[in-house]
Amino acid sequence: MTHLATERNNHDLACRGGDHRRCFRADGRDHDLSDEPQTVMAARKTAAAAGAAAAVMTVLATGYLRLWRSKCLNWGATAEEVARPMPGDEFLPHPELLATRAVTVAAEPAAVWPWLIQIGPGRGGAYTYDWIENLLGLDMHSANTILPQFQDLSVGDTLALGSTGPRMRAQIIEPNRALVFASDDGDWIWSFGLYRTPEGTRLVSRNRIRRPAASPLGKFLYALVMEPGSLVMERKMLHGIKQRAERTPVMPGRAGDITQPSPTDDWSTPTDPARDVRR
């Protein structure tokens, strides 16, 4: 008995000292633990990697939300444009997400409008990364010419964003001034405004979005993934319209007949149904 106790103590000391080749089981029998350190080490490495990844994601998320989110949502827009009411604001007064992005087009609003009015799947496309849009089944093929057959969009016309995506209904059409779409469920309002400037035209895009069914975690992940993704796509779209409009000739006198809204125009008055007609 004394011999057995001495041997067990020696093996216990060996185990605690790092010699895991031979240790005792709880029942006193010898047990080869030569494989256990590798398993424990692998588990520790996995836990450490997961912890490091979580720390990096936390830093990135905090940095985005505190430092970069405003720039992402308001890319290209001035503080005045961000604060200025636009057509369509009245349809969703209290959105969960509000993004206002803009670009300067060195052309008259009349040169921008034909490209804008033909936007949409199965029409003039979205002037962005078609291959990404089509991975989502949106049937986007960005046109490089003005398409006469798609210049007559009317209030009430709908654009289906894929077979399972939202249906966007034209709510306001004011040639050379404003184009507003609203999803059938009312949770997404997409407005475009054309504002004449000494340099040409400010093309302003505003998205107002509400996601009532999303969980807090879902909304958080949406902010981290979809908001930067939307910037990539919308920046390309605005530049795509800009590039096309700047090479579009305008008939003499055509732009001179256009009355553009000034930066102080008040679009905040709720839209009367009678106003929602093409002008």
Side-chain angles (χ1 to χ4, degrees):
M1 182 70 69
T2 303
H3 176 73
L4 178 60
T6 301
E7 186 176 353
R8 179 177 296 179
N9 289 336
N10 289 338
H11 279 77
D12 287 346
L13 289 173
C15 288
R16 289 195 295 269
D19 185 0
H20 295 275
R21 290 173 297 176
R22 292 184 61 81
C23 292
F24 283 108
R25 296 180 184 270
D27 60 7
R29 292 180 297 168
D30 287 350
H31 177 42
D32 188 351
L33 297 180
S34 59
D35 291 335
E36 287 190 5
Q38 287 80 1
T39 303
V40 172
M41 185 174 294
R44 289 177 177 174
K45 287 182 178 179
T46 301
V56 170
M57 289 300 297
T58 299
V59 171
L60 292 176
T62 301
Y64 172 71
L65 295 175
R66 292 186 178 181
L67 303 177
W68 196 62
R69 190 183 189 211
S70 178
K71 295 179 180 179
C72 174
L73 295 179
N74 300 313
W75 175 86
T78 65
E80 180 183 8
E81 289 168 335
V82 171
R84 179 173 61 201
M86 286 183 63
D89 286 358
E90 63 271 22
F91 297 127
L92 188 55
H94 305 292
E96 296 174 6
L97 171 66
L98 176 60
T100 303
R101 294 161 177 154
V103 69
T104 297
V105 183
E108 292 286 341
V112 181
W113 182 257
W115 299 100
L116 191 58
I117 196 66
Q118 70 182 26
I119 199 169
R123 295 168 53 83
Y127 315 114
T128 183
Y129 298 103
D130 289 352
W131 67 273
I132 296 179
E133 301 275 19
N134 292 330
L135 283 177
L136 303 175
L138 298 185
D139 188 28
M140 293 290 189
H141 305 280
S142 299
N144 288 310
T145 59
I146 294 174
L147 305 174
Q149 67 271 33
F150 297 128
Q151 296 297 306
D152 294 324
L153 186 70
S154 299
V155 168
D157 289 350
T158 60
L159 307 179
L161 300 184
S163 58
T164 60
R167 295 177 63 84
M168 303 299 289
R169 188 178 303 276
Q171 292 291 101
I172 298 175
I173 301 176
E174 299 181 1
N176 307 310
R177 288 170 54 98
L179 176 62
V180 178
F181 295 99
S183 62
D184 281 348
D185 59 12
D187 289 338
W188 179 15
I189 307 298
W190 195 1
S191 304
F192 295 93
L194 302 179
Y195 302 90
R196 180 180 291 165
T197 68
E199 295 79 17
T201 302
R202 286 290 284 174
L203 169 59
V204 183
S205 170
R206 175 170 292 172
N207 284 275
R208 307 175 73 87
I209 297 174
R210 176 178 58 197
R211 303 182 67 242
S215 66
L217 177 60
K219 293 178 181 181
F220 176 72
L221 294 177
Y222 183 92
L224 293 183
V225 177
M226 297 303 295
E227 290 177 5
S230 72
L231 171 60
V232 172
M233 300 300 287
E234 191 162 25
R235 181 181 182 275
K236 175 69 171 177
M237 179 199 70
L238 292 173
H239 276 292
I241 296 174
K242 167 185 168 70
Q243 292 163 2
R244 289 164 171 80
E246 287 179 345
R247 62 173 186 256
T248 301
V250 178
M251 296 299 292
R254 184 179 176 186
D257 296 333
I258 300 168
T259 301
Q260 292 296 319
S262 71
T264 57
D265 276 352
D266 183 9
W267 294 100
S268 60
T269 303
T271 299
D272 186 281
R275 175 177 172 269
D276 290 347
V277 296
R278 180 166 182 163
R279 298 184 178 181

